[in-house]
Amino acid sequence: MIIVMCGPGGVGKGTVVARLVADDSRLWLSRSWTTRTQRPGEPDDAYTYVTREQFEQHIAEDGFLEYAEFLGNLYGTPWPDAHDDRDVVLEIDVQGAAQVLERSPEALFILLEPPSAEVQAERLRGRGDPPEQAERRIAVAQGELAEGRRLGAICIVNDDLDRTVAHCAQLITDARHPGLG
Ligand code: 5GP
């Protein structure tokens, strides 16, 4: 099963995903490629950091399940390992989600929403992005939320981390056992 986790910057997506994967050994998190530079304090393994040239080469080789350009940088999901029988979690933007859903309409698609634009802006400004980057991310957030809803995502307002994680875990369980709910 493919689990697509979307949500605008500052919604706490990374934290929720890390908890889900830590709590469930049947999940694994795909590591994306990006041409973005590493943020201060960002772990070395958050992404595979590559040049635009390397990324474009990988596109030419059909190396990505999906990829998209977000605020001037490329992000892409390498093809998941076909021999891994765990469920893969993709933490991607809505453009990428649209591509995955086209190939795999049965994927579980969750959209995390911030409790308010103020909370989101505060989180974004606090996390080490250059201020103009943070402002651009805030500006695109509403459009991302609207597009995610249009694509049929299950929307969860992330106003309480434990509750959000529990809700996502329940959705994953339900998706693994269709018909029991
Ligand atoms: P950030 O720069 O904040 O790490 O990521 C910017 C946006 O790109 C976020 O919405 C993040 O989820 C998304 N993203 C990360 N990896 C991928 C990917 O492999 N594909 C796509 N389409 N988006 C990604």
Side-chain angles (χ1 to χ4, degrees):
M1 176 167 67
I2 300 179
I3 299 147
V4 178
M5 297 291 297
C6 276
V11 77
K13 203 174 19 169
T15 311
V16 170
V17 167
R19 280 272 300 270
L20 286 170
V21 172
D23 291 352
D24 183 345
S25 59
R26 290 171 61 195
L27 294 179
W28 70 279
L29 177 60
S30 166
R31 188 189 305 167
S32 297
W33 286 33
T34 186
T35 61
R36 169 168 76 62
T37 50
Q38 196 171 355
R39 282 191 191 108
E42 187 168 56
D44 291 343
D45 62 358
Y47 284 102
T48 301
Y49 299 94
V50 296
T51 62
R52 186 167 273 266
E53 197 176 38
Q54 288 169 317
F55 199 105
E56 284 169 353
Q57 177 68 31
H58 209 60
I59 295 173
E61 291 163 354
D62 192 23
F64 292 113
L65 164 62
E66 64 72 35
Y67 67 92
E69 180 141 6
F70 182 88
L71 294 180
N73 290 303
L74 290 164
Y75 297 82
T77 305
W79 286 102
D81 183 352
H83 302 292
D84 197 316
D85 58 5
R86 293 175 295 170
D87 298 319
V88 60
V89 181
L90 309 182
E91 189 190 325
I92 60 179
D93 84 327
V94 288
Q95 306 172 74
Q99 296 171 47
V100 173
L101 291 168
E102 190 139 315
R103 276 180 203 275
S104 308
E106 74 291 352
L108 175 62
F109 179 22
I110 300 176
L111 176 71
L112 296 183
E113 302 193 18
S116 71
E118 290 74 30
V119 171
Q120 183 204 9
E122 208 172 290
R123 286 195 198 146
L124 271 174
R125 293 190 182 109
R127 85 174 176 187
D129 280 329
E132 80 280 0
Q133 267 281 344
E135 298 312 318
R136 287 169 71 202
R137 283 168 190 267
I138 293 165
V140 299
Q142 289 310 317
E144 291 182 87
L145 290 173
E147 180 61 5
R149 289 188 207 111
R150 194 187 67 77
L151 290 167
I154 300 170
C155 302
I156 302 178
V157 177
N158 184 25
D159 52 4
D160 179 284
L161 179 62
D162 288 339
R163 209 164 49 207
T164 300
V165 171
H167 192 165
C168 292
Q170 187 60 53
L171 290 170
I172 292 168
T173 303
D174 293 348
R176 281 176 178 148
H177 306 288
L180 292 184

